[in-house]
Amino acid sequence: MERLYHLTRTEQLTPGVIKNLFQLTERYERFLKVGAKKLTDLEGVRIHIVFFEESTRTYSTFYAASETLGASVFGLPEAGKFSAFAKEESLEHGIEFWSGAGIPYLRCADIIIIRHPEPDAAERAARVSKVPIINAGCGGEEGHHPTQVLLDLYTFKKFLGKLENFNIAFVGDLRFSRIVPPEVILLSQYPGIKFYFVAPEGFKLPENIKALLRNRGISFEESDNLKEVIPDCHIGYITRIQKNRLEKLGNKKEAKELLKIYQKTKGNFVLTPEVYQISERLQTIFCHPGPISAKEKEIQPEVEGFPRVRFLEHWSYGLPTKMALLSTVWQSQREKDNFEKILPTRE
Ligand code: NCD
């Protein structure tokens, strides 16, 4: 069985790892369905959730998943403000301290979940950590958000009953998203998936990702208008324009220019009643990783209650997928702890 210890990058989610995680997710989903609130799988385990960026779904589903498994949680939702990181402490020192790099049996955290604006933060943490590190979203462009990718794939499987032979449109900001580019690479390992990339100028899927798809002989199309491609898609994955990342771009002029282009063309990337209607052909199911911008309304309020607009269901799968992930990495940590106990002590 393929093992998972840290989860810092999406490529660690190989199809084999995903298969194991999904089996466990299904099991937890069944428990939750019959009303389980407190299991004992992670009893006595301490989980730290350390976030340097805002979050609604990811933070609270990790919290709820930990508690449901019987773990205790230390939550630091504004780590950059309300911890010693605000006093110029390095990420590495914090992680070393929490994970017991000083005296192993005096560690505070058994698993650390981290969200951070820098793309390599989780990997840096994993390099020094004595316990599993889970990346809950690090960086924007060139970033990774493997736990979202995991829940997306679980959702597609729930929607379609399979993870192969389907067409999917990724819509919106495919450049600054930390979800879409690595998710596309991962999905390209499953047979028969056709990709449609629908993004405004300046927000298109990065060239290196497209080159990789071409090398693998994977078929994809790019479009400037959702209406053109949606009749051919089984899934419509709508995303938000990452304004928070644009604001942090070094080149302010470029950021302003990009926003202008988006504002001018955004009608082509929005789920409207008309798009819904023409997506009847393949009964396209629409989802969105959240948050949906209440200002830009990339999913228009008029279609929210429509039966194939299923982002609320999509968000819900965050809970059982995270339970599966936590119990998997904890199993790996237990094996490591046991192994270290039987190692002869060094003179
Ligand atoms: C995403 C993120 O934080 O990258 N949200 C999430 O975790 N569900 C997407 C976004 O911010 O638009």
Side-chain angles (χ1 to χ4, degrees):
M1 192 158 115
E2 284 182 72
R3 280 262 162 258
L4 188 66
Y5 184 75
H6 300 297
L7 177 59
T8 59
R9 290 178 65 85
T10 315
E11 346 19 315
Q12 288 166 280
L13 295 171
T14 60
V17 166
I18 288 188
K19 197 167 158 229
N20 295 336
L21 284 169
F22 282 3
Q23 268 169 11
L24 207 47
T25 305
E26 277 160 17
R27 190 164 148 248
Y28 284 131
E29 202 193 325
R30 280 197 300 275
F31 285 153
L32 294 167
K33 199 169 179 183
V34 295
K37 282 274 178 238
K38 203 91 180 167
L39 306 172
T40 53
D41 305 33
L42 264 65
E43 206 165 40
V45 177
R46 283 186 294 244
I47 299 185
H48 279 30
I49 312 180
V50 182
F51 274 31
F52 292 78
E53 273 188 350
E54 53 289 329
S55 168
T56 297
R57 276 149 288 270
T58 310
Y59 188 86
S60 74
T61 45
F62 264 120
Y63 210 107
S66 306
E67 291 203 324
T68 311
L69 290 166
S72 54
V73 187
F74 169 68
L76 204 47
E78 290 194 82
K81 258 196 212 155
F82 298 116
S83 74
F85 296 122
K87 301 183 195 168
E88 301 178 348
E89 180 164 48
S90 71
L91 179 65
E92 282 82 352
H93 278 168
I95 298 289
E96 283 178 312
F97 166 67
W98 282 322
S99 71
I103 301 179
Y105 63 84
L106 297 183
R107 74 182 180 221
C108 296
D110 299 306
I111 298 172
I112 301 172
I113 301 160
I114 168 171
R115 168 171 284 201
H116 198 282
E118 289 160 18
D120 63 345
E123 284 163 294
R124 276 172 44 212
R127 246 173 258 141
V128 297
S129 179
K130 303 294 175 202
V131 299
I133 297 290
I134 295 177
N135 176 350
C138 289
E141 211 175 356
E142 291 173 15
H144 278 259
H145 193 352
T147 67
Q148 180 67 41
V149 172
L150 182 70
L151 105 83
D152 288 350
L153 265 59
Y154 188 74
T155 305
F156 302 154
K157 192 159 178 251
K158 293 292 274 194
F159 286 168
L160 304 172
K162 59 182 183 180
L163 253 186
E164 54 187 34
N165 299 321
F166 66 90
N167 303 343
I168 181 165
F170 285 99
V171 187
D173 186 349
L174 313 186
R175 172 178 166 194
F176 296 98
S177 166
R178 53 188 167 198
I179 305 168
V180 176
E183 180 159 315
V184 166
I185 301 288
L186 178 58
L187 276 175
S188 73
Q189 296 174 57
Y190 291 85
I193 299 186
K194 171 146 192 202
F195 297 95
Y196 292 86
F197 302 123
V198 191
E201 213 45 64
F203 295 90
K204 297 205 181 288
L205 192 74
E207 278 309 318
N208 60 332
I209 309 290
K210 285 185 267 179
L212 214 137
L213 292 179
R214 279 190 206 103
N215 282 344
R216 288 188 180 164
I218 308 289
S219 79
F220 69 87
E221 272 178 41
E222 286 193 275
S223 166
D224 292 325
N225 195 334
L226 182 55
K227 280 185 224 141
E228 271 172 20
V229 306
I230 208 64
D232 295 324
C233 296
H234 302 93
I235 302 267
Y237 188 100
I238 316 286
T239 67
R240 172 182 79 90
I241 293 294
Q242 305 269 304
K243 286 186 196 162
N244 47 328
R245 310 233 169 264
L246 284 181
E247 281 156 15
K248 286 180 196 137
L249 267 187
N251 185 343
K252 299 283 165 238
K253 216 171 129 213
E254 189 197 355
K256 241 174 125 184
E257 226 16 71
L258 286 173
L259 259 185
K260 228 160 91 197
I261 297 176
Y262 173 66
Q263 293 301 348
K264 232 171 87 207
T265 57
K266 81 172 189 195
N268 294 346
F269 309 97
V270 170
L271 174 53
T272 58
E274 190 193 348
V275 169
Y276 187 84
Q277 207 200 347
I278 60 173
S279 69
E280 226 161 62
R281 195 171 84 94
L282 291 184
Q283 291 290 302
T284 315
I285 301 175
F286 293 93
C287 56
H288 189 305
I292 297 169
S293 164
K295 198 161 166 216
E296 304 301 346
K297 300 183 174 52
E298 61 271 13
I299 292 188
Q300 295 212 324
E302 297 93 300
V303 303
E304 272 193 22
F306 290 9
R308 288 183 284 109
V309 180
R310 289 166 67 178
F311 59 85
L312 287 174
E313 182 185 340
H314 180 190
W315 298 346
S316 302
Y317 294 126
L319 181 59
T321 50
K322 287 179 176 71
M323 288 171 72
L325 179 63
L326 289 170
S327 83
T328 300
V329 299
W330 174 240
Q331 185 58 32
S332 304
Q333 179 62 35
R334 268 188 19 187
E335 281 164 21
K336 182 172 173 257
D337 286 342
N338 287 337
F339 182 67
E340 279 165 10
K341 250 187 248 150
I342 57 166
L343 275 183
T345 45
R346 257 185 279 161
E347 293 296 313

Short mmCIF file of all heavy atoms in Angstrom, two decimals, residues 132-168:
data_model
loop_
_atom_site.label_atom_id
_atom_site.label_comp_id
_atom_site.label_asym_id
_atom_site.label_seq_id
_atom_site.Cartn_x
_atom_site.Cartn_y
_atom_site.Cartn_z
N PRO A 132 3.66 14.94 10.68
CA PRO A 132 3.15 15.24 9.33
C PRO A 132 2.71 16.71 9.16
O PRO A 132 2.09 17.29 10.04
CB PRO A 132 1.94 14.31 9.20
CG PRO A 132 2.21 13.19 10.14
CD PRO A 132 2.94 13.81 11.29
N ILE A 133 3.04 17.23 7.99
CA ILE A 133 2.61 18.58 7.58
C ILE A 133 1.59 18.41 6.46
O ILE A 133 1.84 17.68 5.48
CB ILE A 133 3.80 19.40 7.03
CG1 ILE A 133 4.86 19.63 8.11
CG2 ILE A 133 3.33 20.73 6.42
CD1 ILE A 133 4.47 20.57 9.22
N ILE A 134 0.46 19.09 6.60
CA ILE A 134 -0.53 19.08 5.53
C ILE A 134 -0.66 20.48 4.96
O ILE A 134 -0.88 21.45 5.71
CB ILE A 134 -1.90 18.59 6.04
CG1 ILE A 134 -1.79 17.12 6.49
CG2 ILE A 134 -2.98 18.74 4.96
CD1 ILE A 134 -3.06 16.56 7.08
N ASN A 135 -0.50 20.58 3.65
CA ASN A 135 -0.65 21.87 2.97
C ASN A 135 -2.15 22.13 2.72
O ASN A 135 -2.79 21.43 1.95
CB ASN A 135 0.11 21.79 1.63
CG ASN A 135 -0.05 23.04 0.78
OD1 ASN A 135 -0.87 23.91 1.09
ND2 ASN A 135 0.72 23.13 -0.29
N ALA A 136 -2.68 23.16 3.39
CA ALA A 136 -4.10 23.50 3.22
C ALA A 136 -4.24 24.73 2.32
O ALA A 136 -5.18 25.51 2.45
CB ALA A 136 -4.72 23.76 4.58
N GLY A 137 -3.29 24.90 1.39
CA GLY A 137 -3.31 26.02 0.45
C GLY A 137 -2.12 26.93 0.70
O GLY A 137 -2.12 27.71 1.64
N CYS A 138 -1.08 26.79 -0.15
CA CYS A 138 0.09 27.66 -0.03
C CYS A 138 0.39 28.28 -1.38
O CYS A 138 0.50 27.58 -2.38
CB CYS A 138 1.31 26.88 0.46
SG CYS A 138 1.19 26.38 2.18
N GLY A 139 0.54 29.62 -1.40
CA GLY A 139 0.86 30.34 -2.63
C GLY A 139 -0.36 30.53 -3.50
O GLY A 139 -1.46 30.05 -3.19
N GLY A 140 -0.14 31.27 -4.61
CA GLY A 140 -1.22 31.48 -5.58
C GLY A 140 -0.72 30.90 -6.89
O GLY A 140 -0.74 29.69 -7.10
N GLU A 141 -0.19 31.77 -7.78
CA GLU A 141 0.44 31.31 -9.02
C GLU A 141 1.58 30.37 -8.59
O GLU A 141 2.36 30.73 -7.70
CB GLU A 141 1.01 32.54 -9.74
CG GLU A 141 1.01 32.42 -11.22
CD GLU A 141 1.47 33.73 -11.87
OE1 GLU A 141 1.70 34.73 -11.16
OE2 GLU A 141 1.60 33.74 -13.09
N GLU A 142 1.65 29.20 -9.17
CA GLU A 142 2.65 28.18 -8.82
C GLU A 142 2.44 27.58 -7.44
O GLU A 142 3.30 26.89 -6.90
CB GLU A 142 4.08 28.73 -8.93
CG GLU A 142 4.43 28.97 -10.37
CD GLU A 142 5.76 29.66 -10.57
OE1 GLU A 142 6.55 29.72 -9.64
OE2 GLU A 142 5.97 30.13 -11.70
N GLY A 143 1.29 27.85 -6.83
CA GLY A 143 1.02 27.30 -5.51
C GLY A 143 0.38 25.92 -5.60
O GLY A 143 0.19 25.37 -6.69
N HIS A 144 0.07 25.39 -4.44
CA HIS A 144 -0.59 24.08 -4.35
C HIS A 144 -1.68 24.11 -3.30
O HIS A 144 -1.55 24.81 -2.29
CB HIS A 144 0.43 22.99 -3.99
CG HIS A 144 1.22 22.51 -5.16
ND1 HIS A 144 0.94 21.33 -5.80
CD2 HIS A 144 2.25 23.07 -5.82
CE1 HIS A 144 1.79 21.17 -6.81
NE2 HIS A 144 2.60 22.22 -6.84
N HIS A 145 -2.72 23.33 -3.52
CA HIS A 145 -3.81 23.22 -2.56
C HIS A 145 -4.33 21.78 -2.64
O HIS A 145 -5.46 21.53 -3.06
CB HIS A 145 -4.89 24.24 -2.92
CG HIS A 145 -5.92 24.46 -1.86
ND1 HIS A 145 -6.01 23.70 -0.72
CD2 HIS A 145 -6.93 25.38 -1.77
CE1 HIS A 145 -7.03 24.12 0.01
NE2 HIS A 145 -7.60 25.15 -0.60
N PRO A 146 -3.47 20.82 -2.24
CA PRO A 146 -3.80 19.42 -2.50
C PRO A 146 -5.06 18.92 -1.80
O PRO A 146 -5.73 18.02 -2.32
CB PRO A 146 -2.57 18.65 -2.00
CG PRO A 146 -1.78 19.61 -1.17
CD PRO A 146 -2.12 20.98 -1.64
N THR A 147 -5.42 19.50 -0.65
CA THR A 147 -6.61 18.97 0.03
C THR A 147 -7.88 19.39 -0.72
O THR A 147 -8.89 18.70 -0.70
CB THR A 147 -6.68 19.37 1.52
OG1 THR A 147 -6.89 20.78 1.64
CG2 THR A 147 -5.41 18.99 2.25
N GLN A 148 -7.82 20.54 -1.41
CA GLN A 148 -8.95 20.95 -2.24
C GLN A 148 -9.04 20.04 -3.48
O GLN A 148 -10.13 19.64 -3.90
CB GLN A 148 -8.80 22.42 -2.67
CG GLN A 148 -9.94 22.93 -3.54
CD GLN A 148 -11.26 23.03 -2.80
OE1 GLN A 148 -11.29 23.45 -1.65
NE2 GLN A 148 -12.35 22.64 -3.44
N VAL A 149 -7.88 19.71 -4.02
CA VAL A 149 -7.86 18.83 -5.19
C VAL A 149 -8.46 17.46 -4.82
O VAL A 149 -9.27 16.89 -5.56
CB VAL A 149 -6.41 18.68 -5.72
CG1 VAL A 149 -6.33 17.61 -6.81
CG2 VAL A 149 -5.90 20.02 -6.25
N LEU A 150 -8.09 16.98 -3.65
CA LEU A 150 -8.62 15.70 -3.19
C LEU A 150 -10.14 15.74 -3.11
O LEU A 150 -10.85 14.85 -3.59
CB LEU A 150 -8.01 15.39 -1.82
CG LEU A 150 -8.40 14.08 -1.18
CD1 LEU A 150 -7.76 12.91 -1.94
CD2 LEU A 150 -7.95 14.05 0.29
N LEU A 151 -10.65 16.80 -2.52
CA LEU A 151 -12.10 16.89 -2.36
C LEU A 151 -12.79 17.13 -3.71
O LEU A 151 -13.89 16.63 -3.95
CB LEU A 151 -12.47 17.93 -1.28
CG LEU A 151 -13.02 19.30 -1.58
CD1 LEU A 151 -14.52 19.24 -1.81
CD2 LEU A 151 -12.74 20.20 -0.41
N ASP A 152 -12.12 17.83 -4.62
CA ASP A 152 -12.70 18.02 -5.96
C ASP A 152 -12.86 16.67 -6.67
O ASP A 152 -13.91 16.37 -7.24
CB ASP A 152 -11.80 18.92 -6.82
CG ASP A 152 -11.84 20.38 -6.38
OD1 ASP A 152 -12.69 20.72 -5.54
OD2 ASP A 152 -11.01 21.17 -6.87
N LEU A 153 -11.80 15.86 -6.62
CA LEU A 153 -11.87 14.58 -7.32
C LEU A 153 -12.92 13.66 -6.70
O LEU A 153 -13.63 12.94 -7.41
CB LEU A 153 -10.49 13.88 -7.33
CG LEU A 153 -9.66 14.13 -8.60
CD1 LEU A 153 -9.38 15.59 -8.82
CD2 LEU A 153 -8.39 13.33 -8.61
N TYR A 154 -13.02 13.71 -5.39
CA TYR A 154 -14.05 12.90 -4.71
C TYR A 154 -15.43 13.37 -5.18
O TYR A 154 -16.31 12.56 -5.46
CB TYR A 154 -13.91 13.04 -3.19
CG TYR A 154 -14.80 12.10 -2.42
CD1 TYR A 154 -14.50 10.74 -2.34
CD2 TYR A 154 -15.95 12.56 -1.78
CE1 TYR A 154 -15.32 9.86 -1.64
CE2 TYR A 154 -16.77 11.69 -1.07
CZ TYR A 154 -16.45 10.34 -1.00
OH TYR A 154 -17.26 9.48 -0.31
N THR A 155 -15.58 14.69 -5.29
CA THR A 155 -16.86 15.25 -5.74
C THR A 155 -17.19 14.81 -7.18
O THR A 155 -18.32 14.40 -7.46
CB THR A 155 -16.81 16.80 -5.67
OG1 THR A 155 -16.44 17.18 -4.36
CG2 THR A 155 -18.13 17.43 -6.03
N PHE A 156 -16.20 14.88 -8.07
CA PHE A 156 -16.46 14.47 -9.47
C PHE A 156 -16.91 13.01 -9.50
O PHE A 156 -17.80 12.63 -10.24
CB PHE A 156 -15.21 14.62 -10.35
CG PHE A 156 -14.63 16.02 -10.41
CD1 PHE A 156 -13.28 16.23 -10.69
CD2 PHE A 156 -15.44 17.13 -10.17
CE1 PHE A 156 -12.75 17.51 -10.73
CE2 PHE A 156 -14.90 18.42 -10.21
CZ PHE A 156 -13.55 18.60 -10.49
N LYS A 157 -16.26 12.20 -8.65
CA LYS A 157 -16.61 10.77 -8.63
C LYS A 157 -18.04 10.60 -8.11
O LYS A 157 -18.80 9.77 -8.61
CB LYS A 157 -15.61 10.03 -7.76
CG LYS A 157 -15.71 8.56 -7.90
CD LYS A 157 -14.46 7.82 -7.46
CE LYS A 157 -14.70 6.33 -7.60
NZ LYS A 157 -14.82 5.64 -6.33
N LYS A 158 -18.41 11.40 -7.13
CA LYS A 158 -19.78 11.31 -6.61
C LYS A 158 -20.79 11.75 -7.68
O LYS A 158 -21.83 11.15 -7.86
CB LYS A 158 -19.96 12.21 -5.38
CG LYS A 158 -19.21 11.80 -4.17
CD LYS A 158 -19.70 10.51 -3.57
CE LYS A 158 -20.82 10.71 -2.61
NZ LYS A 158 -21.06 9.49 -1.80
N PHE A 159 -20.44 12.82 -8.38
CA PHE A 159 -21.36 13.35 -9.40
C PHE A 159 -21.53 12.38 -10.57
O PHE A 159 -22.63 12.21 -11.09
CB PHE A 159 -20.84 14.67 -9.97
CG PHE A 159 -20.97 15.87 -9.03
CD1 PHE A 159 -20.31 17.07 -9.34
CD2 PHE A 159 -21.75 15.81 -7.89
CE1 PHE A 159 -20.43 18.17 -8.50
CE2 PHE A 159 -21.87 16.91 -7.05
CZ PHE A 159 -21.21 18.09 -7.35
N LEU A 160 -20.42 11.80 -11.01
CA LEU A 160 -20.45 11.02 -12.27
C LEU A 160 -20.41 9.52 -12.05
O LEU A 160 -20.59 8.75 -13.00
CB LEU A 160 -19.25 11.43 -13.15
CG LEU A 160 -19.14 12.92 -13.49
CD1 LEU A 160 -17.81 13.20 -14.19
CD2 LEU A 160 -20.30 13.40 -14.35
N GLY A 161 -20.11 9.09 -10.84
CA GLY A 161 -19.99 7.66 -10.56
C GLY A 161 -18.69 7.06 -11.05
O GLY A 161 -18.48 5.85 -10.99
N LYS A 162 -17.77 7.88 -11.56
CA LYS A 162 -16.49 7.37 -12.09
C LYS A 162 -15.51 8.54 -12.18
O LYS A 162 -15.91 9.71 -12.09
CB LYS A 162 -16.69 6.78 -13.47
CG LYS A 162 -17.26 7.80 -14.45
CD LYS A 162 -17.53 7.25 -15.83
CE LYS A 162 -18.02 8.39 -16.72
NZ LYS A 162 -18.31 8.03 -18.07
N LEU A 163 -14.23 8.18 -12.35
CA LEU A 163 -13.22 9.24 -12.53
C LEU A 163 -12.51 9.07 -13.87
O LEU A 163 -11.30 9.21 -13.96
CB LEU A 163 -12.20 9.18 -11.39
CG LEU A 163 -12.29 10.27 -10.32
CD1 LEU A 163 -11.13 10.17 -9.34
CD2 LEU A 163 -12.37 11.68 -10.89
N GLU A 164 -13.25 8.73 -14.88
CA GLU A 164 -12.65 8.57 -16.21
C GLU A 164 -13.71 8.85 -17.27
O GLU A 164 -14.90 8.88 -16.97
CB GLU A 164 -12.09 7.15 -16.38
CG GLU A 164 -13.13 6.08 -16.08
CD GLU A 164 -12.54 4.68 -16.06
OE1 GLU A 164 -11.39 4.51 -15.67
OE2 GLU A 164 -13.29 3.77 -16.46
N ASN A 165 -13.21 9.07 -18.50
CA ASN A 165 -14.10 9.31 -19.64
C ASN A 165 -15.16 10.37 -19.38
O ASN A 165 -16.35 10.09 -19.39
CB ASN A 165 -14.79 8.00 -20.07
CG ASN A 165 -13.77 6.96 -20.48
OD1 ASN A 165 -12.77 7.28 -21.12
ND2 ASN A 165 -14.00 5.73 -20.08
N PHE A 166 -14.71 11.57 -19.09
CA PHE A 166 -15.65 12.68 -19.02
C PHE A 166 -14.97 13.96 -19.50
O PHE A 166 -13.74 14.01 -19.62
CB PHE A 166 -16.25 12.84 -17.62
CG PHE A 166 -15.27 13.24 -16.53
CD1 PHE A 166 -15.02 14.57 -16.25
CD2 PHE A 166 -14.63 12.27 -15.76
CE1 PHE A 166 -14.14 14.93 -15.22
CE2 PHE A 166 -13.76 12.62 -14.74
CZ PHE A 166 -13.51 13.96 -14.48
N ASN A 167 -15.81 14.95 -19.79
CA ASN A 167 -15.30 16.25 -20.25
C ASN A 167 -15.53 17.29 -19.17
O ASN A 167 -16.63 17.36 -18.61
CB ASN A 167 -16.03 16.70 -21.52
CG ASN A 167 -15.93 15.66 -22.62
OD1 ASN A 167 -15.08 14.77 -22.57
ND2 ASN A 167 -16.81 15.77 -23.61
N ILE A 168 -14.51 18.09 -18.93
CA ILE A 168 -14.62 19.08 -17.85
C ILE A 168 -14.15 20.45 -18.34
O ILE A 168 -13.12 20.54 -19.02
CB ILE A 168 -13.84 18.62 -16.60
CG1 ILE A 168 -13.96 19.64 -15.47
CG2 ILE A 168 -12.36 18.33 -16.88
CD1 ILE A 168 -13.54 19.12 -14.10
#
